[in-house]
């Protein structure tokens, strides 16, 4: 599982912070790395500021982005993240 990654998704987490937090807890139990976003440096501070106040500090602690090694698998509930990865990173499995 070392080349599997979960993207929490800025958009999904902003819309459903409690659900996203629960999913992240489950993913963490499975020892999968969690990153916040599917695009490097995409509106980092804007999405940090838009997160609910009671979740903002936890969100900031999650690595924003990580370059995926070829042959990695990206896991995400967000259709936007999946579409971006499919277009920009065909070497990554969805």
């Amino acid at each position: 599982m070392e080349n599997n990654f979960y993207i929490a998704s800025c958009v999904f987490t902003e819309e459903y912070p409690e659900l996203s937090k629960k999913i992240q807890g489950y993913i963490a139990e499975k020892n999968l790395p969690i990153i916040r976003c599917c695009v490097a440096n995409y509106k980092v501070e804007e999405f940090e500021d838009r997160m609910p106040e009671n979740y903002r500090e936890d969100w900031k602690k999650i690595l924003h982005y990580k370059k995926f090694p070829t042959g990695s698998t990206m896991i995400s509930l967000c259709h936007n993240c999946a579409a971006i990865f499919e277009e920009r990173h065909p070497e990554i499995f969805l």
Side-chain angles (χ1 to χ4, degrees), residues 4 6 23 65 74 79:
N4 295 336
Y6 177 71
I23 293 168
Y65 179 83
M74 184 277 282
H79 66 279

Side-chain angles (χ1 to χ4, degrees), residues 14-86:
E14 178 187 14
E15 189 69 27
Y16 305 101
E18 292 302 317
L19 178 58
S20 183
K21 191 173 182 176
K22 286 180 184 179
I23 293 168
Q24 290 173 52
Y26 174 81
I27 295 294
E29 287 176 6
K30 303 300 177 193
N31 295 316
L32 283 170
I34 299 171
I35 60 173
R36 295 190 305 196
C37 192
C38 59
V39 179
N41 301 315
Y42 180 72
K43 300 182 180 182
V44 177
E45 290 180 11
E46 180 180 330
F47 274 102
E48 287 177 350
D49 292 343
R50 288 169 37 183
M51 286 298 153
E53 191 172 322
N54 66 341
Y55 183 62
R56 194 170 298 144
E57 291 307 312
D58 290 337
W59 182 250
K60 288 179 180 182
K61 292 175 187 175
I62 301 169
L63 180 66
H64 175 72
Y65 179 83
K66 180 177 180 172
K67 185 173 176 159
F68 287 49
T70 298
S72 297
T73 300
M74 184 277 282
I75 302 164
S76 181
L77 299 176
C78 178
H79 66 279
N80 289 328
C81 290
I84 288 168
F85 260 74
E86 187 173 24

